[in-house]
Amino acid sequence: MLTTKITSLMTSNSNIQKIRKILHFSRDEYESRLKNIRLKMQEENLDLLLLSDPCNIYYATGYDAWSFYVPQCALISASNDEPVWIGREMDRHGACLTSILSDNNIVAYDDKYVQSQIYHPMSVMASEIRERYGNNIHIGIEMDSYYIDIQAYLKLQTELPNCKVSDASLLVNWVRAVKSPTEIGYMHEAATLVQNAMQSAIDLIQPNVRECDVAATAYSDLVSSNPDFAGSYTSTPPLIPAGERLNTPHLSWNSSRYQNETQINLELMACRNRYHMPLGRSVYLGTPPANLQTIESAIVEGLDAALDFIKPGVMACEVEATWQKAAAKYNVQKSARCGYALGIAYPPTCGEKTISLRPDDKTILEEGMTFHLMPAIWHEGNSLVITEPFAVTKSGAETFCNFPRKLFVK
C-alpha cells in the first residue's frame, strides 16, 4: 500500500491544529489525473467541471467519506488551480484529512442547508463559482449521476443564469478507465479479501445452516480476513439467493436454513481503498441436474475462450462474441451484457458506467483497463454464477483471482 503523510494546518474554533493527511496515492499521481481531466475538459470547451459523483470526487481529490447522501461537489477549473471541495460543515474535517486540498479550497455549508425546504446547498456552490471563476463561463456537470437531482440542476441554472451548462456525465469516468499500477495493486488486495470470503462461505454452506450466517461470515472476511490490510464497505452487499429466489440475481439472504438438493448463488464483492473486486460462484447441495452441468461447461469454456482472446486492441463487443460462440456449442446464450468496467465504487453500483462487454460496444481495450467478466445465467430453472475479474495487460488478460472455475457440489 502506498501511503503519503503530509502535514498541513487548519483553523478550527481559533485553535491551530496539525492535520496529518493520509493519501492512498502520491501527489504526482493526483496531478497526472487532473492533467488528464483538464485535457478532456479542453476537448469539450469547458471552463469548469462540477463533480457530484463520489467516485470522481475521490479520484480527483482523494476525499473519501459516507457523505454523498447530501449535496457535495468538487470544482475543477480548466486552469491549473487546485480543485475546490464543497460539502456539509460536519464533513469539512474529513475533507481536510483525506483530500489533497489546502484549507482555503475546502468550503463547508451550514447545516441549515441540509434537507431544507427553504435553503439549498447549490446556492453555496453557485456563490463559490461566481466568486472564484466568474458568472459567464461554460460549466460541465454530471447530469447522469445518482447524486445530483433535478432540483439541484434547476437551482444551479437559476443562480448562474449567464453560464452555459452542459452534460459532462462520464468525462472523468472515461479518464478512470485505464488504471495505474497502484490502482491495480489495490484491486489485487481486494481480490485476496473476496477469495477468502468466498472460500469461507462455500465451506460453511451445508444443510440446516442459515443463509444469514453465511452472509455474516462473508461480511467478516471481506473486511478483516487479511492481517496486513483491511477491507471497507462495498457498493453492493453480498448477494446470496437460494431456493425459490435462485433465479433473481439481485435478491439476497434471509433466515431460512439450507436444504438438500438446493442451489446457492454467491456474488461477493470486496473493497480496498474504494477499489472493488467482485467474484461469483455457485454451490449445489446434493446431486446437480444434468442441465446445470451443461450450463457449467458452457460458462467455463466461454470464460476460458474470452480470457484467451483478450488483449489490447480488441473491441469489447468481440470479447462478448467470443464467449457467446463458445457457449453456443452447448445451446446456451446470454441476453444481458457479459461484463463491465470495474474500479472505484460507492453505493449503489460497482460498475464504472463506461465500457460493457456486449454486442454494440466497440470500445477498444487498452492495457490497464479492468473488468468483471460475468457470463452468469439467470434463466428460470437454469441459473448458474461463475465470474472472473481481470485486467488487460500488454499481452493479454490477467485474472485478479485464482479460484476454481466450477460449480461447487457438496
Side-chain angles (χ1 to χ4, degrees), residues 149-204:
D149 56 29
I150 296 172
Q151 187 180 45
Y153 172 67
L154 294 175
K155 189 68 174 177
L156 180 68
Q157 287 193 314
T158 301
E159 296 272 353
L160 299 171
N162 297 323
C163 292
K164 179 182 178 181
V165 178
S166 297
D167 185 11
S169 294
L170 297 179
L171 188 151
V172 177
N173 298 58
W174 280 105
V175 174
R176 288 163 40 201
V178 175
K179 309 298 187 294
S180 71
T182 305
E183 290 177 289
I184 290 177
Y186 289 139
M187 295 178 79
H188 276 292
E189 291 180 346
T192 297
L193 297 172
V194 77
Q195 289 180 100
N196 291 344
M198 183 66 73
Q199 188 62 64
S200 293
I202 292 172
D203 289 345
L204 182 58

Short mmCIF file of all heavy atoms in Angstrom, two decimals, residues 149-204:
data_model
loop_
_atom_site.label_atom_id
_atom_site.label_comp_id
_atom_site.label_asym_id
_atom_site.label_seq_id
_atom_site.Cartn_x
_atom_site.Cartn_y
_atom_site.Cartn_z
N ASP A 149 -29.76 15.91 -8.20
CA ASP A 149 -31.16 15.76 -8.58
C ASP A 149 -31.64 16.94 -9.43
O ASP A 149 -30.90 17.89 -9.68
CB ASP A 149 -32.04 15.58 -7.34
CG ASP A 149 -31.88 16.71 -6.34
OD1 ASP A 149 -31.58 17.85 -6.75
OD2 ASP A 149 -32.06 16.45 -5.13
N ILE A 150 -32.89 16.85 -9.86
CA ILE A 150 -33.46 17.87 -10.74
C ILE A 150 -33.47 19.23 -10.04
O ILE A 150 -33.17 20.27 -10.64
CB ILE A 150 -34.87 17.47 -11.18
CG1 ILE A 150 -34.81 16.19 -12.03
CG2 ILE A 150 -35.55 18.58 -11.96
CD1 ILE A 150 -36.16 15.60 -12.34
N GLN A 151 -33.82 19.23 -8.77
CA GLN A 151 -33.88 20.48 -8.03
C GLN A 151 -32.52 21.18 -8.00
O GLN A 151 -32.43 22.40 -8.17
CB GLN A 151 -34.38 20.23 -6.60
CG GLN A 151 -34.63 21.49 -5.80
CD GLN A 151 -35.11 21.19 -4.39
OE1 GLN A 151 -34.56 20.32 -3.72
NE2 GLN A 151 -36.15 21.89 -3.95
N ALA A 152 -31.45 20.41 -7.79
CA ALA A 152 -30.11 20.98 -7.76
C ALA A 152 -29.74 21.57 -9.12
O ALA A 152 -29.17 22.67 -9.20
CB ALA A 152 -29.10 19.91 -7.35
N TYR A 153 -30.07 20.86 -10.17
CA TYR A 153 -29.77 21.34 -11.53
C TYR A 153 -30.51 22.65 -11.81
O TYR A 153 -29.93 23.61 -12.33
CB TYR A 153 -30.15 20.27 -12.54
CG TYR A 153 -30.07 20.72 -13.98
CD1 TYR A 153 -28.84 21.02 -14.56
CD2 TYR A 153 -31.21 20.84 -14.75
CE1 TYR A 153 -28.76 21.43 -15.89
CE2 TYR A 153 -31.15 21.25 -16.07
CZ TYR A 153 -29.92 21.55 -16.63
OH TYR A 153 -29.84 21.97 -17.93
N LEU A 154 -31.80 22.69 -11.47
CA LEU A 154 -32.59 23.90 -11.70
C LEU A 154 -32.06 25.06 -10.86
O LEU A 154 -32.04 26.22 -11.31
CB LEU A 154 -34.06 23.64 -11.41
CG LEU A 154 -34.76 22.64 -12.34
CD1 LEU A 154 -36.19 22.38 -11.85
CD2 LEU A 154 -34.75 23.13 -13.78
N LYS A 155 -31.66 24.77 -9.64
CA LYS A 155 -31.12 25.81 -8.76
C LYS A 155 -29.83 26.39 -9.34
O LYS A 155 -29.61 27.61 -9.31
CB LYS A 155 -30.87 25.24 -7.38
CG LYS A 155 -30.52 26.27 -6.31
CD LYS A 155 -31.71 27.15 -6.01
CE LYS A 155 -31.43 28.08 -4.86
NZ LYS A 155 -32.55 29.01 -4.59
N LEU A 156 -28.99 25.53 -9.87
CA LEU A 156 -27.74 25.99 -10.48
C LEU A 156 -28.02 26.93 -11.65
O LEU A 156 -27.39 27.99 -11.78
CB LEU A 156 -26.91 24.79 -10.96
CG LEU A 156 -25.57 25.12 -11.61
CD1 LEU A 156 -24.59 25.68 -10.59
CD2 LEU A 156 -24.98 23.87 -12.27
N GLN A 157 -28.98 26.57 -12.50
CA GLN A 157 -29.32 27.42 -13.63
C GLN A 157 -29.88 28.77 -13.17
O GLN A 157 -29.58 29.81 -13.75
CB GLN A 157 -30.33 26.71 -14.53
CG GLN A 157 -29.74 25.56 -15.34
CD GLN A 157 -30.69 25.10 -16.42
OE1 GLN A 157 -31.88 24.91 -16.16
NE2 GLN A 157 -30.18 24.92 -17.63
N THR A 158 -30.70 28.74 -12.13
CA THR A 158 -31.29 29.98 -11.61
C THR A 158 -30.22 30.89 -11.02
O THR A 158 -30.23 32.11 -11.23
CB THR A 158 -32.35 29.67 -10.53
OG1 THR A 158 -33.37 28.85 -11.09
CG2 THR A 158 -32.96 30.93 -9.98
N GLU A 159 -29.28 30.30 -10.29
CA GLU A 159 -28.25 31.09 -9.62
C GLU A 159 -27.17 31.59 -10.57
O GLU A 159 -26.52 32.60 -10.30
CB GLU A 159 -27.59 30.24 -8.52
CG GLU A 159 -28.53 29.83 -7.39
CD GLU A 159 -28.59 30.87 -6.29
OE1 GLU A 159 -27.80 31.83 -6.34
OE2 GLU A 159 -29.42 30.72 -5.38
N LEU A 160 -26.98 30.86 -11.69
CA LEU A 160 -25.93 31.24 -12.65
C LEU A 160 -26.55 31.40 -14.05
O LEU A 160 -26.25 30.63 -14.97
CB LEU A 160 -24.82 30.18 -12.67
CG LEU A 160 -24.08 29.96 -11.35
CD1 LEU A 160 -23.17 28.74 -11.45
CD2 LEU A 160 -23.27 31.20 -10.96
N PRO A 161 -27.42 32.38 -14.24
CA PRO A 161 -28.17 32.50 -15.49
C PRO A 161 -27.31 32.80 -16.70
O PRO A 161 -27.72 32.52 -17.84
CB PRO A 161 -29.15 33.64 -15.20
CG PRO A 161 -28.47 34.45 -14.14
CD PRO A 161 -27.76 33.46 -13.29
N ASN A 162 -26.13 33.39 -16.50
CA ASN A 162 -25.28 33.75 -17.63
C ASN A 162 -24.27 32.66 -18.00
O ASN A 162 -23.49 32.84 -18.93
CB ASN A 162 -24.54 35.06 -17.32
CG ASN A 162 -25.49 36.22 -17.14
OD1 ASN A 162 -26.50 36.32 -17.83
ND2 ASN A 162 -25.18 37.10 -16.19
N CYS A 163 -24.28 31.58 -17.24
CA CYS A 163 -23.36 30.48 -17.51
C CYS A 163 -24.01 29.46 -18.44
O CYS A 163 -25.20 29.19 -18.35
CB CYS A 163 -22.94 29.80 -16.21
SG CYS A 163 -21.92 30.82 -15.14
N LYS A 164 -23.21 28.89 -19.30
CA LYS A 164 -23.65 27.77 -20.13
C LYS A 164 -23.40 26.48 -19.35
O LYS A 164 -22.30 26.28 -18.83
CB LYS A 164 -22.90 27.75 -21.45
CG LYS A 164 -23.29 26.59 -22.36
CD LYS A 164 -22.46 26.60 -23.64
CE LYS A 164 -22.82 25.40 -24.53
NZ LYS A 164 -21.99 25.39 -25.77
N VAL A 165 -24.42 25.63 -19.26
CA VAL A 165 -24.30 24.37 -18.53
C VAL A 165 -24.46 23.22 -19.50
O VAL A 165 -25.45 23.15 -20.24
CB VAL A 165 -25.35 24.28 -17.40
CG1 VAL A 165 -25.24 22.93 -16.69
CG2 VAL A 165 -25.18 25.42 -16.41
N SER A 166 -23.49 22.30 -19.52
CA SER A 166 -23.51 21.16 -20.42
C SER A 166 -23.37 19.86 -19.65
O SER A 166 -22.89 19.84 -18.51
CB SER A 166 -22.38 21.27 -21.46
OG SER A 166 -22.53 22.39 -22.27
N ASP A 167 -23.76 18.78 -20.29
CA ASP A 167 -23.66 17.46 -19.68
C ASP A 167 -22.23 16.94 -19.80
O ASP A 167 -21.69 16.82 -20.91
CB ASP A 167 -24.63 16.49 -20.37
CG ASP A 167 -24.67 15.12 -19.70
OD1 ASP A 167 -24.11 14.98 -18.60
OD2 ASP A 167 -25.26 14.20 -20.30
N ALA A 168 -21.61 16.64 -18.68
CA ALA A 168 -20.27 16.06 -18.65
C ALA A 168 -20.28 14.81 -17.78
O ALA A 168 -19.35 14.55 -17.02
CB ALA A 168 -19.26 17.08 -18.13
N SER A 169 -21.34 14.01 -17.94
CA SER A 169 -21.61 12.91 -17.00
C SER A 169 -20.46 11.91 -16.89
O SER A 169 -20.11 11.49 -15.78
CB SER A 169 -22.88 12.18 -17.42
OG SER A 169 -24.00 13.01 -17.29
N LEU A 170 -19.87 11.51 -17.99
CA LEU A 170 -18.88 10.43 -17.94
C LEU A 170 -17.47 10.91 -18.27
O LEU A 170 -16.59 10.10 -18.56
CB LEU A 170 -19.29 9.31 -18.90
CG LEU A 170 -20.62 8.62 -18.61
CD1 LEU A 170 -20.91 7.56 -19.65
CD2 LEU A 170 -20.60 7.98 -17.22
N LEU A 171 -17.27 12.22 -18.23
CA LEU A 171 -15.95 12.74 -18.59
C LEU A 171 -14.84 12.13 -17.73
O LEU A 171 -13.86 11.59 -18.25
CB LEU A 171 -15.96 14.26 -18.48
CG LEU A 171 -14.73 15.00 -18.98
CD1 LEU A 171 -15.11 16.40 -19.47
CD2 LEU A 171 -13.63 15.14 -17.91
N VAL A 172 -15.00 12.18 -16.41
CA VAL A 172 -13.97 11.63 -15.52
C VAL A 172 -14.01 10.11 -15.53
O VAL A 172 -12.97 9.45 -15.42
CB VAL A 172 -14.14 12.19 -14.10
CG1 VAL A 172 -13.12 11.56 -13.14
CG2 VAL A 172 -13.97 13.71 -14.10
N ASN A 173 -15.20 9.52 -15.69
CA ASN A 173 -15.30 8.06 -15.75
C ASN A 173 -14.41 7.49 -16.84
O ASN A 173 -13.74 6.46 -16.65
CB ASN A 173 -16.75 7.64 -16.01
CG ASN A 173 -17.69 8.07 -14.90
OD1 ASN A 173 -17.79 9.25 -14.61
ND2 ASN A 173 -18.40 7.12 -14.30
N TRP A 174 -14.36 8.15 -17.99
CA TRP A 174 -13.52 7.66 -19.08
C TRP A 174 -12.05 7.87 -18.79
O TRP A 174 -11.20 7.05 -19.17
CB TRP A 174 -13.92 8.31 -20.40
CG TRP A 174 -15.13 7.68 -21.01
CD1 TRP A 174 -16.40 8.18 -21.05
CD2 TRP A 174 -15.20 6.40 -21.65
NE1 TRP A 174 -17.25 7.29 -21.67
CE2 TRP A 174 -16.54 6.20 -22.06
CE3 TRP A 174 -14.27 5.41 -21.93
CZ2 TRP A 174 -16.97 5.04 -22.72
CZ3 TRP A 174 -14.68 4.26 -22.58
CH2 TRP A 174 -16.01 4.08 -22.97
N VAL A 175 -11.71 8.94 -18.09
CA VAL A 175 -10.31 9.13 -17.68
C VAL A 175 -9.89 8.01 -16.74
O VAL A 175 -8.75 7.52 -16.79
CB VAL A 175 -10.13 10.50 -17.01
CG1 VAL A 175 -8.72 10.65 -16.44
CG2 VAL A 175 -10.42 11.63 -17.99
N ARG A 176 -10.82 7.56 -15.89
CA ARG A 176 -10.54 6.49 -14.93
C ARG A 176 -10.39 5.12 -15.57
O ARG A 176 -9.96 4.17 -14.92
CB ARG A 176 -11.68 6.41 -13.90
CG ARG A 176 -11.72 7.53 -12.90
CD ARG A 176 -13.07 7.62 -12.19
NE ARG A 176 -13.61 6.31 -11.85
CZ ARG A 176 -14.88 6.05 -11.59
NH1 ARG A 176 -15.77 7.05 -11.65
NH2 ARG A 176 -15.28 4.86 -11.29
N ALA A 177 -10.74 4.98 -16.84
CA ALA A 177 -10.82 3.65 -17.46
C ALA A 177 -9.49 2.91 -17.44
O ALA A 177 -9.45 1.69 -17.25
CB ALA A 177 -11.33 3.77 -18.89
N VAL A 178 -8.39 3.60 -17.63
CA VAL A 178 -7.06 2.98 -17.60
C VAL A 178 -6.47 3.19 -16.22
O VAL A 178 -6.30 4.33 -15.77
CB VAL A 178 -6.15 3.57 -18.69
CG1 VAL A 178 -4.73 3.00 -18.56
CG2 VAL A 178 -6.71 3.28 -20.08
N LYS A 179 -6.14 2.11 -15.55
CA LYS A 179 -5.67 2.15 -14.17
C LYS A 179 -4.15 2.23 -14.09
O LYS A 179 -3.43 1.68 -14.93
CB LYS A 179 -6.15 0.91 -13.41
CG LYS A 179 -7.65 0.62 -13.52
CD LYS A 179 -8.49 1.73 -12.94
CE LYS A 179 -9.97 1.37 -12.90
NZ LYS A 179 -10.58 1.22 -14.24
N SER A 180 -3.68 2.87 -13.04
CA SER A 180 -2.25 2.92 -12.75
C SER A 180 -1.83 1.64 -12.03
O SER A 180 -2.67 0.90 -11.51
CB SER A 180 -1.94 4.13 -11.87
OG SER A 180 -2.44 3.93 -10.55
N PRO A 181 -0.52 1.38 -11.95
CA PRO A 181 -0.07 0.20 -11.19
C PRO A 181 -0.52 0.22 -9.73
O PRO A 181 -0.84 -0.83 -9.17
CB PRO A 181 1.46 0.28 -11.30
CG PRO A 181 1.69 0.98 -12.60
CD PRO A 181 0.59 2.01 -12.70
N THR A 182 -0.59 1.41 -9.11
CA THR A 182 -1.03 1.47 -7.72
C THR A 182 -2.50 1.10 -7.60
O THR A 182 -2.91 0.37 -6.68
CB THR A 182 -0.80 2.88 -7.14
OG1 THR A 182 0.58 3.23 -7.30
CG2 THR A 182 -1.14 2.91 -5.65
N GLU A 183 -3.32 1.59 -8.53
CA GLU A 183 -4.74 1.24 -8.52
C GLU A 183 -4.92 -0.27 -8.67
O GLU A 183 -5.71 -0.89 -7.94
CB GLU A 183 -5.46 1.97 -9.65
CG GLU A 183 -5.59 3.46 -9.46
CD GLU A 183 -6.25 4.14 -10.64
OE1 GLU A 183 -5.60 4.23 -11.70
OE2 GLU A 183 -7.40 4.59 -10.51
N ILE A 184 -4.21 -0.85 -9.61
CA ILE A 184 -4.33 -2.30 -9.83
C ILE A 184 -3.82 -3.06 -8.62
O ILE A 184 -4.35 -4.13 -8.26
CB ILE A 184 -3.59 -2.70 -11.13
CG1 ILE A 184 -4.36 -2.15 -12.35
CG2 ILE A 184 -3.42 -4.21 -11.23
CD1 ILE A 184 -3.72 -2.42 -13.68
N GLY A 185 -2.83 -2.51 -7.93
CA GLY A 185 -2.35 -3.14 -6.70
C GLY A 185 -3.43 -3.22 -5.64
O GLY A 185 -3.58 -4.25 -4.96
N TYR A 186 -4.21 -2.15 -5.48
CA TYR A 186 -5.32 -2.19 -4.52
C TYR A 186 -6.37 -3.19 -4.94
O TYR A 186 -7.01 -3.85 -4.09
CB TYR A 186 -5.94 -0.80 -4.38
CG TYR A 186 -5.08 0.20 -3.65
CD1 TYR A 186 -4.98 1.52 -4.11
CD2 TYR A 186 -4.36 -0.16 -2.51
CE1 TYR A 186 -4.18 2.45 -3.44
CE2 TYR A 186 -3.57 0.76 -1.85
CZ TYR A 186 -3.48 2.06 -2.31
OH TYR A 186 -2.69 2.97 -1.65
N MET A 187 -6.57 -3.33 -6.23
CA MET A 187 -7.55 -4.30 -6.71
C MET A 187 -7.08 -5.74 -6.43
O MET A 187 -7.89 -6.62 -6.13
CB MET A 187 -7.83 -4.08 -8.19
CG MET A 187 -8.49 -2.72 -8.46
SD MET A 187 -8.79 -2.35 -10.21
CE MET A 187 -10.27 -3.34 -10.48
N HIS A 188 -5.78 -5.96 -6.52
CA HIS A 188 -5.24 -7.28 -6.15
C HIS A 188 -5.47 -7.55 -4.66
O HIS A 188 -5.79 -8.69 -4.27
CB HIS A 188 -3.76 -7.38 -6.50
CG HIS A 188 -3.47 -7.74 -7.92
ND1 HIS A 188 -3.76 -9.00 -8.44
CD2 HIS A 188 -2.95 -7.03 -8.94
CE1 HIS A 188 -3.40 -9.04 -9.71
NE2 HIS A 188 -2.92 -7.86 -10.04
N GLU A 189 -5.30 -6.54 -3.83
CA GLU A 189 -5.55 -6.73 -2.41
C GLU A 189 -7.03 -7.02 -2.15
O GLU A 189 -7.37 -7.90 -1.33
CB GLU A 189 -5.10 -5.49 -1.64
CG GLU A 189 -3.59 -5.32 -1.62
CD GLU A 189 -3.12 -4.10 -0.87
OE1 GLU A 189 -3.96 -3.22 -0.56
OE2 GLU A 189 -1.92 -4.02 -0.58
N ALA A 190 -7.91 -6.32 -2.85
CA ALA A 190 -9.34 -6.61 -2.72
C ALA A 190 -9.64 -8.03 -3.18
O ALA A 190 -10.51 -8.70 -2.62
CB ALA A 190 -10.16 -5.60 -3.53
N ALA A 191 -8.92 -8.50 -4.20
CA ALA A 191 -9.12 -9.87 -4.68
C ALA A 191 -8.78 -10.89 -3.60
O ALA A 191 -9.45 -11.93 -3.47
CB ALA A 191 -8.27 -10.12 -5.93
N THR A 192 -7.75 -10.62 -2.82
CA THR A 192 -7.41 -11.52 -1.71
C THR A 192 -8.57 -11.62 -0.73
O THR A 192 -8.93 -12.72 -0.28
CB THR A 192 -6.16 -10.99 -0.98
OG1 THR A 192 -5.04 -11.00 -1.87
CG2 THR A 192 -5.83 -11.87 0.22
N LEU A 193 -9.18 -10.49 -0.41
CA LEU A 193 -10.30 -10.48 0.54
C LEU A 193 -11.50 -11.23 0.00
O LEU A 193 -12.14 -12.02 0.71
CB LEU A 193 -10.67 -9.05 0.88
CG LEU A 193 -9.60 -8.20 1.57
CD1 LEU A 193 -10.05 -6.75 1.67
CD2 LEU A 193 -9.28 -8.75 2.96
N VAL A 194 -11.84 -11.00 -1.26
CA VAL A 194 -13.05 -11.62 -1.80
C VAL A 194 -12.87 -13.13 -1.95
O VAL A 194 -13.82 -13.91 -1.76
CB VAL A 194 -13.48 -10.96 -3.12
CG1 VAL A 194 -12.63 -11.41 -4.30
CG2 VAL A 194 -14.96 -11.23 -3.41
N GLN A 195 -11.66 -13.57 -2.25
CA GLN A 195 -11.42 -15.02 -2.34
C GLN A 195 -11.52 -15.67 -0.95
O GLN A 195 -12.08 -16.77 -0.83
CB GLN A 195 -10.04 -15.29 -2.94
CG GLN A 195 -9.96 -14.97 -4.42
CD GLN A 195 -8.57 -15.25 -4.99
OE1 GLN A 195 -8.32 -16.27 -5.61
NE2 GLN A 195 -7.66 -14.31 -4.75
N ASN A 196 -10.99 -14.99 0.05
CA ASN A 196 -11.11 -15.53 1.41
C ASN A 196 -12.57 -15.66 1.81
O ASN A 196 -12.99 -16.67 2.40
CB ASN A 196 -10.38 -14.62 2.40
CG ASN A 196 -8.88 -14.64 2.24
OD1 ASN A 196 -8.33 -15.53 1.60
ND2 ASN A 196 -8.21 -13.66 2.81
N ALA A 197 -13.35 -14.63 1.50
CA ALA A 197 -14.77 -14.65 1.85
C ALA A 197 -15.51 -15.73 1.09
O ALA A 197 -16.38 -16.43 1.64
CB ALA A 197 -15.39 -13.29 1.57
N MET A 198 -15.19 -15.89 -0.19
CA MET A 198 -15.86 -16.91 -0.99
C MET A 198 -15.56 -18.31 -0.45
O MET A 198 -16.46 -19.15 -0.33
CB MET A 198 -15.41 -16.80 -2.45
CG MET A 198 -16.10 -17.77 -3.39
SD MET A 198 -17.88 -17.48 -3.57
CE MET A 198 -17.88 -15.99 -4.58
N GLN A 199 -14.31 -18.55 -0.11
CA GLN A 199 -13.95 -19.88 0.40
C GLN A 199 -14.65 -20.16 1.73
O GLN A 199 -15.18 -21.26 1.95
CB GLN A 199 -12.44 -19.98 0.58
CG GLN A 199 -11.96 -21.39 0.93
CD GLN A 199 -12.27 -22.38 -0.17
OE1 GLN A 199 -11.76 -22.28 -1.28
NE2 GLN A 199 -13.12 -23.37 0.11
N SER A 200 -14.70 -19.16 2.61
CA SER A 200 -15.36 -19.35 3.90
C SER A 200 -16.85 -19.60 3.73
O SER A 200 -17.44 -20.44 4.43
CB SER A 200 -15.14 -18.13 4.78
OG SER A 200 -13.78 -18.00 5.14
N ALA A 201 -17.48 -18.88 2.81
CA ALA A 201 -18.91 -19.07 2.57
C ALA A 201 -19.19 -20.46 2.03
O ALA A 201 -20.12 -21.15 2.48
CB ALA A 201 -19.41 -18.01 1.61
N ILE A 202 -18.40 -20.89 1.06
CA ILE A 202 -18.59 -22.22 0.49
C ILE A 202 -18.37 -23.31 1.55
O ILE A 202 -19.12 -24.29 1.63
CB ILE A 202 -17.66 -22.42 -0.72
CG1 ILE A 202 -18.10 -21.50 -1.87
CG2 ILE A 202 -17.67 -23.89 -1.18
CD1 ILE A 202 -17.15 -21.48 -3.05
N ASP A 203 -17.35 -23.14 2.37
CA ASP A 203 -17.07 -24.13 3.42
C ASP A 203 -18.23 -24.23 4.41
O ASP A 203 -18.54 -25.31 4.92
CB ASP A 203 -15.79 -23.74 4.18
CG ASP A 203 -14.53 -23.93 3.35
OD1 ASP A 203 -14.60 -24.62 2.31
OD2 ASP A 203 -13.49 -23.37 3.74
N LEU A 204 -18.88 -23.12 4.70
CA LEU A 204 -19.94 -23.10 5.70
C LEU A 204 -21.26 -23.65 5.17
O LEU A 204 -22.05 -24.23 5.93
CB LEU A 204 -20.15 -21.67 6.21
CG LEU A 204 -21.19 -21.46 7.30
CD1 LEU A 204 -20.88 -22.31 8.53
CD2 LEU A 204 -21.29 -19.99 7.67
#
